[in-house]
Amino acid sequence: MSSVVFTNVTIFDGSGAAPFKGEVLVDGQRIVRVGREGAPISAPQAQCIDGKGAFLMPGMTEAHTHFSWNDQPSLTAIQFMPPEEHMLWCVRVAKRYLEMGWTSALGAAAAKPRLDVVLRNAVDAGEFPGPRYLAGSQEITILGGLADNTLPHMPFRELNFGAVVSGPEEMRAMTRMFIKYGVDHLKINLSGEYIAGLSAESSPFSEEEIAMLSAEAKRAGKRVAAHARSAESVKQCVRHGLELVFHASFADEEALDMLEANKEKHFVAPGIGWLISTLYHAEPWGISEATATKMGYKRELETAAETLQKMHKRGIRILPGGDYGFAWMPHGTNARDLEYFVKYIGMTPTEVLLSATKLGGELMMRPDELGQIREGYLADILLVDGNPLNDLAILQDPKKITLVMKDGEIFRTSHDLLPPRGEVHAGTKLPADAGVERAVHSTTH
Ligand SMILES: [Zn+2]
C-alpha cells in the first residue's frame, strides 16, 4: 500500500468550512489524516508532495455525462458512429474527464445499449483510467419522441439513438433488458427538446408507462434519471420517485413545492451549459443566436435561471455538469458550469464547489466516504494552482489542475510537484504517463 502526504496546501475540505492551511495524509485508497497548520503530520514512510501553496480540494463529480456523445454538431453524427469506434471513443473521453478533475461521473444515457456499462466495468477493473462511474441505459423514449431518430425508411428500432417503447409491457421489457445489461440507473426522456424539433414543454409519456419503469427499476434496486424540461415532467419525476431530474427548466411553483417536499430524495442536474452554449457559442456550426432564440432556447434559459434560483433558495440539491460532448461544448470543458452556477443561479463560489464535491458524493450514493477531504474518506483529491473560490474559471484550465488523485493513486501531475521517478517511495504506484502534461483536446475526430 502506498502512502502520500500533501504538505504546504490550502485545504477546501468540502464540509462547508472555510479553507485552511494544512496537510493531508493518504494511505492506500483513503485519507487517513487531515492536519491543520501548526500540527504537521509525521509520516516518514510517505511520499511527500510539497503543494507549494496549492489549493487542495476533493475530486469533482459530473452529474450528467454522455461519454458517447462525440463532440460533433448533431445527434445523427453520434448515432451513426460504428460501435467499435464508439467504444474506443468512450475510453478516451473517460480519461479526459479524469484529467480535468472529474473523479466521479454519472452517465446520463449512452448512445448504444451497452457503451456505459462496458466502460464502467473496464474502469473499475483498472483497464483504463476514468472517473468512478455510474452507468446509464440508452434514453428510453416514445415513437416520435426525443431520441427516436429513425427515418421513415429505416428499420424500426435498429440503429436508433434511443430505446423506443409503446405501452407499459414494452416498457417493462426494455427496463429489464437494461437491468440485465448491468446499468446502475435507467434514463427516460419525459419531455421534448427544441433542437430536435420537439417542445421542451411537452410531456409525451403516459402515466402507465412511467409507473411501469419506476416499478421495474425499484424492484431491481435501480434509480431512474429523467430528461425533464417541462413542468409536468418534473412533477412526474416526483410522483413516480424518479430520483435524478435533468434540466427542470420549466418547473412551476407546484413542481418546486413537490421537489422541495422530497428534497432528500431528488437531485437536479440542470445542464445549464447546454442552454448557454447552444444560444451563444454554436454559430460556427450554423446555430446563430437568432436561430437558437427562434428554436426557444433564449426563453428557456431565462426561465431556467429563474427556476433554478428559486430551487436553490429552497435547498433543493443542484449539481454541475450536463450534455457536454457537442462541437460547441466539447468534453473536458464541463467546468464552465461552475461559473454559470454563480452567474445564472446566484450560488456563491463556495456553494458551487460544494455542489461539485460534497453533493457529488451524495449523488454517487457514497455520502459517508466520497466528496470530502476527511479522515476515512476515499482519496479523490485535486491540487489546483490558484484559488477557485476567487476565480472558478481556473478549473477549466488543464494547466491549473496540477494533480489528480483517484482512489489514492496519482493519475496526473505537473513536473514540478513530484520528485524524479527514482526518488518516489518504493511501492508508490504511478501510471506510466504520470508527469506528462497533455492538452485536453488532443483527440482528433
Ligand atoms: Zn443529457
Side-chain angles (χ1 to χ4, degrees), residues 64-66 69 108-109 139 187 227 246-247 322-323:
H64 173 168
T65 62
H66 299 283
W69 281 202
E139 302 183 359
K187 168 76 183 288
H227 174 97
F246 295 152
H247 311 304
D323 289 330

Side-chain angles (χ1 to χ4, degrees), residues 126-181:
E127 292 165 11
F128 301 105
R132 299 174 191 281
Y133 195 62
L134 294 178
S137 65
Q138 273 177 296
E139 302 183 359
I140 300 175
T141 191
I142 64 155
L143 268 173
L146 176 63
D148 175 12
N149 283 16
T150 50
L151 300 170
H153 67 277
M154 283 170 60
F156 180 52
R157 284 188 183 159
E158 299 299 318
L159 296 173
N160 209 343
F161 194 94
V164 178
V165 297
S166 290
E169 283 308 319
E170 285 191 11
M171 178 65 91
R172 189 199 302 274
M174 193 62 82
T175 306
R176 288 179 176 179
M177 182 189 84
F178 285 118
I179 291 168
K180 170 183 162 180
Y181 290 163

